[in-house]
């Protein structure tokens, strides 16, 4: 980086100019992150414009929640070129913005569900948090395996149906913990509601899922789950009984 001017700053003036403190600059000096470029006639530390640029980098990276060790490595590897550094900072800020937006979305969705329920199973909240945090990765993972239009429609529909799905999941979680068996009429009633919602989400009946190419891919994929295995097995049993009753009804 070329110096624009030959301005020199004392530690006090640099602290005031950048709204930091002398104590903070002392700490960065001690950690080796920001060493003064020289000393004046009185022996006081002095900083130049390149040091000012380096301090800007440190403060920006600290805002991005990087540790001091990580900041040090960044400065050693590629922190000397101003334009490159700004590009990196910009990309990191975008990632932080996306992360913040996901957290806000999580809180909004939880608020909407809590509004309609007196009690919410903590396991459901954990699932929602993980689902939103990993939504981008999951979407890309699905795009790599399924038709683009199917994935897009699934996420659009899912955003609209998520509230309904989470309420039914919460009901089924509570029933499973109360010891109600999957074939119990109340459990089957909730299971049927969930099945109809999933039919809308997938834009096809669950029974027909295995007959289409997309359905075969979906059924063959192993989706990571944040639910306990016992509850997954419980849900599978609920759907198994639903399918049996559905076939029996068709036979009649």
């Amino acid at each position: 980086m070329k110096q624009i001017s030959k301005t020199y700053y004392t530690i006090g003036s640099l602290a005031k100019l950048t709204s930091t403190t002398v104590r903070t600059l002392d700490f960065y000096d001690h950690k080796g992150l920001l060493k003064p470029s020289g000393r004046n006639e009185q022996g006081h530390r002095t900083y130049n414009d390149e040091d000012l640029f380096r301090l800007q980098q440190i403060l920006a990276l600290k805002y991005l929640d990087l540790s001091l060790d990580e900041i040090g490595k960044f400065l050693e590897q590629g922190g000397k070129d101003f334009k490159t550094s700004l590009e990196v900072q910009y990309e990191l800020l975008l990632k932080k913005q996306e992360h913040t937006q996901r957290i806000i979305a999580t809180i909004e969705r939880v608020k909407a569900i809590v509004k309609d329920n007196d009690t919410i199973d903590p396991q459901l909240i954990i699932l929602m948090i993980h689902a939103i945090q990993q939504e981008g990765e999951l979407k890309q993972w699905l795009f790599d395996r399924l038709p683009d239009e199917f994935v897009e429609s699934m996420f659009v529909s899912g955003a609209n149906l998520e509230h309904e799905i989470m309420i039914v999941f919460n009901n089924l979680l509570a029933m499973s913990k109360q010891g109600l068996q999957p074939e119990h009429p109340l459990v089957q009633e909730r299971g049927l509601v969930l099945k109809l919602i999933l039919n809308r989400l997938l834009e096809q009946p669950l029974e027909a899922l295995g007959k289409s190419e997309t359905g075969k891919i979906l059924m063959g994929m192993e989706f990571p789950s944040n639910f306990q295995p016992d509850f997954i097995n419980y849900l599978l049993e609920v759907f198994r009984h639903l399918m049996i009753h559905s076939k029996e009804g068709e036979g009649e």
Side-chain angles (χ1 to χ4, degrees), residues 106 121-134 162 165-166 169 173 224-227 231-232:
T106 301
D121 193 291
Q123 195 175 336
L124 186 65
I125 303 301
I126 292 170
L127 175 73
M128 288 184 63
I129 292 171
H130 283 287
I132 293 172
Q133 287 175 335
Q134 299 166 5
E162 183 182 39
I165 292 173
M166 290 303 175
F169 263 122
L173 270 168
S225 174
N226 296 295
F227 278 133
F231 183 65
I232 293 295

Short mmCIF file of all heavy atoms in Angstrom, two decimals, residues 106 121-134 162 165-166 169 173 224-227 231-232:
data_model
loop_
_atom_site.label_atom_id
_atom_site.label_comp_id
_atom_site.label_asym_id
_atom_site.label_seq_id
_atom_site.Cartn_x
_atom_site.Cartn_y
_atom_site.Cartn_z
N THR A 106 -35.07 -17.10 12.64
CA THR A 106 -35.33 -18.12 13.64
C THR A 106 -36.25 -17.57 14.73
O THR A 106 -37.26 -18.20 15.09
CB THR A 106 -34.02 -18.60 14.29
OG1 THR A 106 -33.17 -19.14 13.28
CG2 THR A 106 -34.28 -19.67 15.34
N ASP A 121 -42.15 -27.88 22.70
CA ASP A 121 -41.10 -28.82 23.06
C ASP A 121 -39.74 -28.24 22.67
O ASP A 121 -39.56 -27.80 21.53
CB ASP A 121 -41.32 -30.16 22.33
CG ASP A 121 -40.46 -31.26 22.92
OD1 ASP A 121 -39.23 -31.19 22.73
OD2 ASP A 121 -41.01 -32.17 23.55
N PRO A 122 -38.77 -28.22 23.59
CA PRO A 122 -37.44 -27.67 23.28
C PRO A 122 -36.79 -28.34 22.08
O PRO A 122 -36.03 -27.72 21.34
CB PRO A 122 -36.64 -27.94 24.58
CG PRO A 122 -37.67 -28.05 25.64
CD PRO A 122 -38.87 -28.67 24.99
N GLN A 123 -37.07 -29.63 21.88
CA GLN A 123 -36.49 -30.35 20.76
C GLN A 123 -36.92 -29.73 19.43
O GLN A 123 -36.16 -29.69 18.47
CB GLN A 123 -36.92 -31.82 20.83
CG GLN A 123 -36.10 -32.74 19.94
CD GLN A 123 -36.49 -34.19 20.12
OE1 GLN A 123 -37.01 -34.57 21.15
NE2 GLN A 123 -36.25 -34.99 19.12
N LEU A 124 -38.16 -29.24 19.42
CA LEU A 124 -38.67 -28.60 18.21
C LEU A 124 -37.95 -27.28 17.94
O LEU A 124 -37.63 -26.96 16.80
CB LEU A 124 -40.17 -28.35 18.36
CG LEU A 124 -40.90 -27.83 17.12
CD1 LEU A 124 -40.88 -28.85 16.01
CD2 LEU A 124 -42.32 -27.46 17.46
N ILE A 125 -37.69 -26.53 19.00
CA ILE A 125 -36.98 -25.27 18.85
C ILE A 125 -35.56 -25.52 18.32
O ILE A 125 -35.07 -24.81 17.44
CB ILE A 125 -36.91 -24.52 20.19
CG1 ILE A 125 -38.31 -24.28 20.75
CG2 ILE A 125 -36.16 -23.19 20.02
CD1 ILE A 125 -39.21 -23.49 19.84
N ILE A 126 -34.91 -26.56 18.86
CA ILE A 126 -33.57 -26.91 18.40
C ILE A 126 -33.60 -27.27 16.92
O ILE A 126 -32.73 -26.87 16.14
CB ILE A 126 -33.00 -28.07 19.23
CG1 ILE A 126 -32.75 -27.60 20.67
CG2 ILE A 126 -31.70 -28.61 18.62
CD1 ILE A 126 -32.41 -28.72 21.63
N LEU A 127 -34.61 -28.03 16.51
CA LEU A 127 -34.74 -28.40 15.11
C LEU A 127 -34.88 -27.17 14.23
O LEU A 127 -34.24 -27.06 13.18
CB LEU A 127 -35.96 -29.31 14.92
CG LEU A 127 -36.26 -29.68 13.46
CD1 LEU A 127 -35.26 -30.68 12.93
CD2 LEU A 127 -37.67 -30.19 13.30
N MET A 128 -35.71 -26.22 14.65
CA MET A 128 -35.92 -25.01 13.86
C MET A 128 -34.63 -24.22 13.72
O MET A 128 -34.29 -23.74 12.63
CB MET A 128 -36.98 -24.13 14.53
CG MET A 128 -38.39 -24.65 14.45
SD MET A 128 -39.53 -23.48 15.18
CE MET A 128 -39.31 -22.07 14.10
N ILE A 129 -33.90 -24.09 14.82
CA ILE A 129 -32.66 -23.32 14.79
C ILE A 129 -31.67 -23.96 13.83
O ILE A 129 -31.08 -23.29 12.97
CB ILE A 129 -32.05 -23.22 16.20
CG1 ILE A 129 -32.95 -22.34 17.08
CG2 ILE A 129 -30.64 -22.65 16.15
CD1 ILE A 129 -32.58 -22.34 18.55
N HIS A 130 -31.49 -25.27 13.94
CA HIS A 130 -30.56 -25.96 13.06
C HIS A 130 -31.01 -25.90 11.61
O HIS A 130 -30.20 -25.74 10.70
CB HIS A 130 -30.39 -27.42 13.49
CG HIS A 130 -29.52 -27.60 14.67
ND1 HIS A 130 -28.15 -27.44 14.62
CD2 HIS A 130 -29.80 -27.91 15.96
CE1 HIS A 130 -27.63 -27.66 15.82
NE2 HIS A 130 -28.62 -27.95 16.65
N ALA A 131 -32.32 -26.04 11.40
CA ALA A 131 -32.85 -26.03 10.03
C ALA A 131 -32.57 -24.70 9.35
O ALA A 131 -32.17 -24.65 8.18
CB ALA A 131 -34.35 -26.31 10.05
N ILE A 132 -32.78 -23.60 10.07
CA ILE A 132 -32.56 -22.28 9.49
C ILE A 132 -31.08 -22.01 9.30
O ILE A 132 -30.65 -21.46 8.29
CB ILE A 132 -33.22 -21.20 10.36
CG1 ILE A 132 -34.74 -21.37 10.32
CG2 ILE A 132 -32.84 -19.80 9.88
CD1 ILE A 132 -35.50 -20.50 11.28
N GLN A 133 -30.27 -22.40 10.29
CA GLN A 133 -28.83 -22.19 10.18
C GLN A 133 -28.25 -22.94 8.98
O GLN A 133 -27.31 -22.48 8.34
CB GLN A 133 -28.13 -22.63 11.46
CG GLN A 133 -28.37 -21.70 12.63
CD GLN A 133 -27.77 -22.23 13.91
OE1 GLN A 133 -27.58 -23.43 14.07
NE2 GLN A 133 -27.48 -21.34 14.84
N GLN A 134 -28.80 -24.10 8.68
CA GLN A 134 -28.24 -24.95 7.63
C GLN A 134 -29.03 -24.87 6.33
O GLN A 134 -28.77 -25.63 5.41
CB GLN A 134 -28.19 -26.40 8.12
CG GLN A 134 -27.31 -26.59 9.35
CD GLN A 134 -27.53 -27.93 10.03
OE1 GLN A 134 -28.27 -28.77 9.54
NE2 GLN A 134 -26.89 -28.12 11.16
N GLU A 162 -44.52 -23.98 6.87
CA GLU A 162 -43.69 -24.32 8.02
C GLU A 162 -44.42 -24.14 9.34
O GLU A 162 -44.30 -24.96 10.25
CB GLU A 162 -42.41 -23.47 8.04
CG GLU A 162 -41.48 -23.85 9.17
CD GLU A 162 -40.24 -22.99 9.22
OE1 GLU A 162 -40.36 -21.78 8.97
OE2 GLU A 162 -39.17 -23.54 9.50
N ILE A 165 -46.64 -27.11 9.86
CA ILE A 165 -45.85 -28.31 10.11
C ILE A 165 -45.33 -28.33 11.53
O ILE A 165 -45.40 -29.35 12.24
CB ILE A 165 -44.68 -28.41 9.11
CG1 ILE A 165 -45.20 -28.67 7.70
CG2 ILE A 165 -43.71 -29.53 9.52
CD1 ILE A 165 -44.13 -28.60 6.63
N MET A 166 -44.80 -27.20 12.00
CA MET A 166 -44.22 -27.15 13.33
C MET A 166 -45.26 -27.35 14.43
O MET A 166 -44.98 -27.95 15.47
CB MET A 166 -43.49 -25.82 13.53
CG MET A 166 -42.21 -25.70 12.72
SD MET A 166 -41.05 -27.05 13.09
CE MET A 166 -39.77 -26.71 11.89
N PHE A 169 -45.92 -31.08 14.45
CA PHE A 169 -44.76 -31.74 15.03
C PHE A 169 -44.77 -31.60 16.55
O PHE A 169 -44.48 -32.55 17.28
CB PHE A 169 -43.46 -31.14 14.47
CG PHE A 169 -42.88 -31.92 13.33
CD1 PHE A 169 -42.67 -31.34 12.09
CD2 PHE A 169 -42.53 -33.25 13.49
CE1 PHE A 169 -42.13 -32.05 11.04
CE2 PHE A 169 -41.99 -33.99 12.44
CZ PHE A 169 -41.78 -33.38 11.21
N LEU A 173 -44.81 -34.64 19.15
CA LEU A 173 -43.75 -34.76 20.16
C LEU A 173 -44.35 -34.92 21.55
O LEU A 173 -43.92 -35.78 22.34
CB LEU A 173 -42.86 -33.52 20.13
CG LEU A 173 -41.65 -33.54 19.19
CD1 LEU A 173 -41.07 -32.15 19.06
CD2 LEU A 173 -40.59 -34.50 19.68
N PRO A 224 -29.88 -35.75 7.34
CA PRO A 224 -29.46 -35.61 8.73
C PRO A 224 -30.61 -35.04 9.55
O PRO A 224 -31.32 -34.16 9.09
CB PRO A 224 -28.29 -34.63 8.68
CG PRO A 224 -28.50 -33.89 7.40
CD PRO A 224 -29.14 -34.84 6.45
N SER A 225 -30.81 -35.56 10.75
CA SER A 225 -31.93 -35.11 11.56
C SER A 225 -31.46 -34.65 12.93
O SER A 225 -30.55 -35.23 13.51
CB SER A 225 -32.95 -36.24 11.73
OG SER A 225 -33.96 -35.85 12.63
N ASN A 226 -32.11 -33.60 13.43
CA ASN A 226 -31.82 -33.12 14.76
C ASN A 226 -32.80 -33.68 15.78
O ASN A 226 -32.73 -33.34 16.96
CB ASN A 226 -31.86 -31.58 14.78
CG ASN A 226 -30.79 -31.00 13.90
OD1 ASN A 226 -29.62 -31.16 14.16
ND2 ASN A 226 -31.19 -30.34 12.83
N PHE A 227 -33.74 -34.51 15.31
CA PHE A 227 -34.63 -35.20 16.22
C PHE A 227 -33.95 -36.45 16.76
O PHE A 227 -33.10 -37.04 16.09
CB PHE A 227 -35.92 -35.63 15.51
CG PHE A 227 -36.94 -34.54 15.41
CD1 PHE A 227 -37.58 -34.30 14.21
CD2 PHE A 227 -37.27 -33.76 16.50
CE1 PHE A 227 -38.53 -33.30 14.11
CE2 PHE A 227 -38.21 -32.76 16.41
CZ PHE A 227 -38.85 -32.53 15.21
N PHE A 231 -37.89 -40.63 18.25
CA PHE A 231 -39.02 -39.90 17.71
C PHE A 231 -39.15 -40.13 16.20
O PHE A 231 -40.26 -40.18 15.67
CB PHE A 231 -38.90 -38.39 18.00
CG PHE A 231 -40.09 -37.60 17.51
CD1 PHE A 231 -41.34 -37.79 18.08
CD2 PHE A 231 -39.96 -36.69 16.48
CE1 PHE A 231 -42.45 -37.08 17.63
CE2 PHE A 231 -41.06 -35.98 16.02
CZ PHE A 231 -42.31 -36.18 16.61
N ILE A 232 -38.02 -40.27 15.52
CA ILE A 232 -38.06 -40.59 14.09
C ILE A 232 -38.78 -41.91 13.88
O ILE A 232 -39.65 -42.03 13.01
CB ILE A 232 -36.63 -40.67 13.51
CG1 ILE A 232 -35.97 -39.28 13.52
CG2 ILE A 232 -36.64 -41.24 12.09
CD1 ILE A 232 -36.64 -38.28 12.61
#
